Every structure is written in structure tokens, then in C-alpha cells.
Amino acid sequence: MRVLFTTLAHRTHFYPLVPLAWAFRAAGHEVRIASEPALTDDITRTGLTAVPIEAPEWSVTDPCDLALLREFHEDGFVFVRDFDFAGADPARWTWPNLLALQHVMVPSHDAVMNNDGMLDQLTAFARHWRPDLVVWETYTIGGGVVARAAGAAHARFVAGPDVTMRVRREFRRLRDEQHPAHREDPAAEWLAWSLDRLGADGDFTEDLLTGQWTIDSTAPSVRLHPGHRTVGVRYVAHNGPAVVPGWLREPPARPRVCLTFGVSEWVADFLRGEVLTDLLAALADLDVEVVATVTDAQRATVTDVPANARLIDFVPLNDLLPTCAVVVHHGGIGTKANAELHGIPQVILGFGMDTEVMGAGLERLGTGLTMPMAELTGAALRERVARLLTEPSFRTAAGRLRDEMLAQPAPNDLVPVLERLTEENRGRYR
């Protein structure tokens, strides 16, 4: 069998796919990973085969038009990021608001990351290589269109809360209540147009957004269950090339607290200077060892490093987190999954998209605490860390969640299931 994976050119989106890709390889199947050239080295470092898709983000030549498009994309991302995905305010989940979200998200977000040039090249490769199955991660929505064009089965891979599909389900429910003349659906229109442009068979169907089935690496109790067919897979950590430093091979003398904030530029810009210095100072009088993963730019802005703190640039989370009592992070899917896999209580700093949903899930299950990043202070963080360290219920609940994750089928065990689903679904439109 031939399996084509498609992913956004970002390691945090690619790395969760690696264990499953290798499970297919270990079972004797051919595997290719298609993404932009910026990810090629990261793909080949895993031992997998890369297919660079050189697609320009923008297809206009007028500098004025280009500037406007970039501004629309950036403003659109902020609009989408700040939507109430957690459902905290039901008044925002109305037909006008959900339709407005679709009208912004589809052209400024989805159609930018799955632009015409990308779909053209990916379809050309798929028609040449003839995959049996296309596995596409959440942001490469065009994977379903490409699979349809090549006669392949396709599955959507989810590694975090499936917030966009929960929104989609409510959008469709409210859409169907409207007068037929007003049942707009920007995503369906864009994908139907893409199918027609590429000469793919069939009309728009909802599986172009959900996958013919979804592969979900989160624990069942934290899934949002948006109503489509889902198969679970155990999360297996892959953090890229890594070396375990000497200090990490020794057990910590005191409870270890990890602060890690990922690679998002927006988060990195916020958590620097006085903010980061204040967080470290607030934890200085706790009987803990603080390990903070920071960028060089963040490190340069810290004016005082307490005696109980260690600033590092990178260490593999699947080696660091098992030594920790608490982890504080920004809601990165890899960080959260690693913490859950090792039963570590968490503090999530919510800043939009799915992070508020993650935080609400932690508190519902009793595995951690959350707070909006905009309200972050050293004192507020200290209070939450102290609770996680002194109240045993958080560790107990985190252990239950760990056991739930370990009960999911490992990638190797899932391959026969995916082989059967592929056989049932490929070529359906031919």
C-alpha cells in the first residue's frame, strides 16, 4: 500500500505524524511526506522520504495587492484565534457570528495554507504516485481534495481538541435552519470550486472537511466528539533530533517545575523581559527547581535568574517531563500530550484558538489548572503551581488520564485497521 502524508510546514504539526508514518513503513508500506521545502530537512532527519511542494503563498504581482492580502491574512488569523472556541459565551455562537467566522477563516486561513499552487502540485504528485491513502493533518484541508482527485482514501489526523469541527457542526445545524436562499457555506463553496478546477470526481461532501474518518491521538475523555467517525491511536512522543544532557540524567533534589512556551512568535514576544523575569522571581521562594526552555531572544531579556532556576534552549520533552512535578506551558499540542502521557499536572496559559478548550478540559478532569495569558502575573502563576504541588488530587487525576492514553492502540497496532478502512473507502468516486 502507498500512503501519502500531507502537513503544514511546521514541526509541531509534522512530529505527531512521525510514529504513524513509521508504523506504516515497519508494516512494509511505502510512505511519502508532502510539505513545503522549509520542512524537507526535518522530514528527512526522521528517515522518511520528503516530497517538497513549492507553492507560492500568494499569486499576485502587484505590490499593493500583495500588501493588502498579507494584512488580510494577519488580521484574519487574529480574528480566528480570538473566537470563543471554548463556548464560554453562548451569545457568540449565533448564525451571524459563525457565518462571519467562516467568511474570514476560509479565505484568510484555510485557502492561504491550501492555496491553488499547493493543491496543483500536490495533486500532480498524487496522480503520478497513485497513493492508496492520504493522511492529512488538521491544517492541510486540501488533502481530501487531492485524495479525491487521485482516487485515494483519505483520513484526517487530529492531535489536539477538534475545535474547528465542533464549530462546523454547530454552523451546519444553524445553516439548515435558515431559508434555503440564505444557507451560505464558504468552506463548501471553496472546496467544490477546487474539485471542479482540478477535474476531481464528485461534488462537495462533508468528508472533505472531516476526512472519511479521523485518526485522533488524544485521550477519549478529552475529545470533543464532533460527530464523525473516529479511530483512536496512542500518542507516541517524537521531538526531533535530541541529546539528553548530563544534568538530566541525575534525579532532581527538589520537585522540578518546567516552564516551556514553544516556538510561536506571538507567545515568545509576550513571554519575555519583565514578564518572564517576574515569573521566575515569583517561583524563587518555592522549594522547587525551575527549568525554563527559552529562546536566545527571551534569555537576553531576563534581568535576573534566581538560584533555583535553570534556563535552557532545548531538551527533549519526553525525557524532561518524566522528571517534573508540574509543567507550565502555552497549550502546545506536543507539550500537553507529553505531560498527559507521563501523568504530569499542568498549568495552561490560554491565548486563543484551542488553548482555552485545553485549559477547560484540564480543570474538568482535575489534571491541572488554567488562566488566560493576558491575566498572567508571577503571583497568579505561583498560586497555581503551589496548588499542583501540594494537592495530591491533581497527580491522581493525571495518572488516570495517562492510563487512558496508554490503553489506546499503538501506531503499529492501528495499521491493520487503517488498511481495512483504506480498502473500504478508496476509489469511492470512480
Side-chain angles (χ1 to χ4, degrees):
M1 192 165 80
R2 290 182 169 181
V3 185
L4 174 64
F5 286 79
T6 67
T7 175
L8 190 67
H10 203 296
R11 285 175 293 181
T12 57
H13 292 261
F14 167 57
Y15 283 169
L17 302 172
V18 172
L20 183 59
W22 265 110
F24 276 115
R25 289 287 294 116
H29 299 301
E30 296 182 63
V31 174
R32 299 290 184 270
I33 313 292
S35 187
E36 296 173 66
L39 195 68
T40 297
D41 287 346
D42 292 299
I43 295 170
T44 55
R45 287 192 192 103
T46 68
L48 296 166
T49 302
V51 180
I53 302 297
E54 299 189 32
E57 182 180 1
W58 311 104
S59 58
V60 298
T61 56
D62 187 307
C64 294
D65 290 344
L66 181 59
L68 288 172
L69 282 171
R70 288 191 182 279
E71 183 178 353
F72 176 55
H73 173 55
E74 292 166 2
D75 291 346
F77 174 77
V78 172
F79 180 88
V80 173
R81 184 194 69 196
D82 293 342
F83 183 76
D84 177 33
F85 286 104
D89 182 6
R92 295 187 65 184
W93 283 58
T94 63
W95 169 248
N97 285 344
L98 292 180
L99 180 60
L101 177 65
Q102 291 289 310
H103 272 303
V104 173
M105 185 164 63
V106 171
S108 73
H109 188 265
D110 300 339
V112 169
M113 291 185 286
N114 300 265
N115 58 69
D116 293 351
M118 175 266 209
L119 292 181
D120 289 345
Q121 291 203 28
L122 195 53
T123 298
F125 173 76
R127 282 173 166 159
H128 160 74
W129 193 59
R130 308 294 296 176
D132 300 286
L133 171 65
V134 176
V135 179
W136 47 280
E137 57 87 20
T138 309
Y139 285 97
T140 50
I141 297 172
V145 173
V146 170
R148 180 84 67 83
H154 64 98
R156 179 170 171 262
F157 189 97
V158 174
D162 203 355
V163 293
T164 56
M165 286 301 105
R166 184 165 72 171
V167 166
R168 175 72 184 174
R169 180 176 60 180
E170 182 63 8
F171 170 83
R172 293 177 65 202
R173 186 185 73 80
L174 294 174
R175 179 200 62 192
D176 292 345
E177 294 178 355
Q178 309 306 308
H179 186 279
H182 300 293
R183 292 176 184 172
E184 298 177 67
D185 192 337
E189 293 171 9
W190 165 54
L191 292 172
W193 178 83
S194 297
L195 287 172
D196 183 65
R197 189 180 66 81
L198 293 168
D201 293 326
D203 299 322
F204 170 81
T205 50
E206 197 65 21
D207 69 339
L208 291 174
L209 290 167
T210 65
Q212 292 173 313
W213 69 92
T214 292
I215 304 168
D216 196 325
S217 65
T218 64
S221 63
V222 302
R223 294 176 193 161
L224 300 182
H225 301 287
H228 48 266
R229 185 176 190 177
T230 298
V231 295
V233 64
R234 185 189 311 166
Y235 175 80
V236 175
H238 177 82
N239 296 298
V243 176
V244 179
W247 62 267
L248 190 54
R249 303 172 206 166
E250 302 292 333
R254 294 178 290 177
R256 180 172 284 161
V257 176
C258 173
L259 275 61
T260 179
F261 305 120
V263 295
S264 165
E265 292 182 5
W266 186 86
V267 174
D269 287 342
F270 181 82
L271 292 168
R272 62 188 301 173
E274 294 181 1
V275 175
L276 187 52
T277 302
D278 179 45
L279 300 184
L280 295 172
L283 301 176
D285 65 341
L286 291 179
D287 186 25
V288 297
E289 174 194 345
V290 177
V291 175
T293 66
V294 297
T295 65
D296 290 341
Q298 286 174 313
R299 186 195 302 266
T301 66
V302 176
T303 57
D304 182 46
V305 180
N308 71 335
R310 181 194 303 267
L311 304 188
I312 60 173
D313 55 356
F314 172 78
V315 69
L317 288 178
N318 54 311
D319 289 296
L320 172 61
L321 292 189
T323 73
C324 294
V326 173
V327 57
V328 180
H329 63 98
H330 66 301
I333 56 174
T335 308
K336 180 174 182 287
N338 269 285
E340 291 172 344
L341 188 64
H342 297 293
I344 310 302
Q346 307 170 58
V347 178
I348 286 184
L349 308 176
F351 70 96
M353 291 298 289
D354 57 359
T355 56
E356 277 85 5
V357 178
M358 290 182 183
L362 287 184
E363 297 199 340
R364 175 176 55 84
L365 295 173
T367 60
L369 298 168
T370 186
M371 66 182 302
M373 191 173 294
E375 300 175 11
L376 175 64
T377 65
L381 180 63
R382 185 189 188 283
E383 184 269 334
R384 285 164 174 78
V385 170
R387 282 192 62 192
L388 297 184
L389 289 170
T390 58
E391 298 180 24
S393 63
F394 291 106
R395 173 71 70 163
T396 300
R400 288 196 297 267
L401 185 58
R402 175 199 59 215
D403 293 342
E404 187 181 334
M405 292 186 73
L406 293 175
Q408 294 297 292
N412 285 2
D413 298 326
L414 190 65
V415 168
V417 176
L418 301 181
E419 291 171 342
R420 175 176 55 80
L421 289 171
T422 299
E423 185 63 30
E424 293 172 0
N425 288 278
R426 66 182 172 186
R428 176 179 295 180
Y429 294 92
R430 290 191 177 276

